[in-house]
Amino acid sequence: CTHLCGDLDYSRVRDVLRGVERLITQPQRLRRFGVRTQDLSLAIAMHVDTSTGEGSMWAAAMATAFCGLLRGCELGLQDGETFDPTRHLTRADCTFRKSHDGTLYMVLIIRPAKKGPGQQKTVPLLIAAGGTLLDPVRLMQRYFALHPVSAAEAATTPLFSKGGRATSVREIRGIVQELMRRLGLDPRRFGAHSLRIG
């Protein structure tokens, strides 16, 4: 029996493969595109049933990620992760407020993905209601109305969940690609990060 990588620790395999990539000419990667506002708005209107709990969740998630410049890993779980309410978005992290002039805002307490080692930073993200093409605040309110959670469970319930399980970056990527495909665009050029890029 021959061990992989000459008995190196298996955690080093990724580094070895990256080294090999540098030595062997690789095909050029497809340039990733950002989702355009009008495309996301049209895709939600035409292909997402916002009258259902799941459809309203995906519409709210896509619009919130787009307007809030969120990374996929700030919205959902990465491969191999399990939901942790101290590190991932919960229902308690999203509240609604009105300003003195009556403007409705959504306040989302996010945990930025890019931070220094050991930092547990949270940042309040304010998004105003009333967008002409995308209104994540109204979409989030609709999602909450169709998928209610008790105040006692809010702090331990994923903000975006499917069947009680937190959504993943892989699922977000799949939804973005499917919506863009339905608009006649090349889905290979889109991913979860395309919402932030857009």
Side-chain angles (χ1 to χ4, degrees), residues 42-60:
L42 181 63
I44 289 172
M46 290 179 61
H47 303 293
V48 180
D49 184 358
T50 58
S51 67
T52 67
E54 186 176 333
S56 66
M57 184 269 296
W58 282 122

Side-chain angles (χ1 to χ4, degrees), residues 84-154:
D84 177 355
T86 65
R87 292 179 30 241
H88 301 109
L89 287 172
T90 69
R91 289 293 284 269
D93 291 322
C94 183
T95 56
F96 303 96
R97 300 201 177 130
K98 279 197 175 177
S99 66
H100 63 281
D101 67 355
T103 304
L104 179 65
Y105 286 89
M106 173 170 66
V107 181
L108 190 60
I109 305 299
I110 64 166
R111 292 148 185 91
K114 300 235 175 166
K115 52 188 177 278
Q119 288 182 341
Q120 294 292 337
K121 184 166 73 168
T122 59
V123 176
L125 172 66
L126 276 68
I127 300 177
T132 54
L133 291 175
L134 288 173
D135 192 341
V137 180
R138 299 290 183 203
L139 289 170
M140 189 73 81
Q141 284 185 318
R142 179 180 294 167
Y143 165 51
F144 278 22
L146 290 171
H147 193 268
V149 169
S150 71
E153 297 173 321

Side-chain angles (χ1 to χ4, degrees), residues 5 12 15 18 20 47 76 81 85 101 104 107 122 127 151 185:
C5 297
R12 306 287 304 193
D15 296 333
R18 284 185 182 155
V20 171
H47 303 293
E81 273 190 313
D101 67 355
L104 179 65
V107 181
T122 59
I127 300 177
L185 301 171

Side-chain angles (χ1 to χ4, degrees), residues 8-196:
L8 285 176
D9 179 357
Y10 287 143
S11 63
R12 306 287 304 193
V13 171
R14 183 175 53 190
D15 296 333
V16 170
L17 292 175
R18 284 185 182 155
V20 171
E21 270 187 349
R22 283 194 292 270
L23 296 173
I24 300 171
T25 305
Q26 301 295 311
Q28 192 171 21
R29 290 185 182 182
L30 278 177
R31 186 169 158 249
R32 191 168 28 186
F33 291 166
V35 172
R36 297 184 321 155
T37 314
Q38 59 270 37
D39 289 341
L40 185 58
S41 174
L42 181 63
I44 289 172
M46 290 179 61
H47 303 293
V48 180
D49 184 358
T50 58
S51 67
T52 67
E54 186 176 333
S56 66
M57 184 269 296
W58 282 122
M62 298 294 107
T64 299
F66 183 89
C67 293
L69 302 176
L70 297 179
R71 295 175 175 89
C73 60
E74 291 166 345
L75 206 62
L77 304 184
Q78 295 189 73
D79 289 345
E81 273 190 313
T82 54
F83 177 72
D84 177 355
T86 65
R87 292 179 30 241
H88 301 109
L89 287 172
T90 69
R91 289 293 284 269
D93 291 322
C94 183
T95 56
F96 303 96
R97 300 201 177 130
K98 279 197 175 177
S99 66
H100 63 281
D101 67 355
T103 304
L104 179 65
Y105 286 89
M106 173 170 66
V107 181
L108 190 60
I109 305 299
I110 64 166
R111 292 148 185 91
K114 300 235 175 166
K115 52 188 177 278
Q119 288 182 341
Q120 294 292 337
K121 184 166 73 168
T122 59
V123 176
L125 172 66
L126 276 68
I127 300 177
T132 54
L133 291 175
L134 288 173
D135 192 341
V137 180
R138 299 290 183 203
L139 289 170
M140 189 73 81
Q141 284 185 318
R142 179 180 294 167
Y143 165 51
F144 278 22
L146 290 171
H147 193 268
V149 169
S150 71
E153 297 173 321
T156 56
T157 301
L159 178 59
F160 300 113
S161 63
K162 189 175 168 186
R165 178 186 51 77
T167 57
S168 69
V169 175
R170 185 184 298 266
E171 289 172 311
I172 295 163
R173 182 184 310 113
I175 292 290
V176 170
Q177 290 176 336
E178 178 60 18
L179 290 177
M180 296 303 102
R181 185 192 67 74
R182 290 186 180 195
L183 293 181
L185 301 171
D186 183 354
R188 296 172 304 157
R189 296 223 178 240
F190 296 90
H193 202 65
S194 294
L195 296 165
R196 180 177 169 88

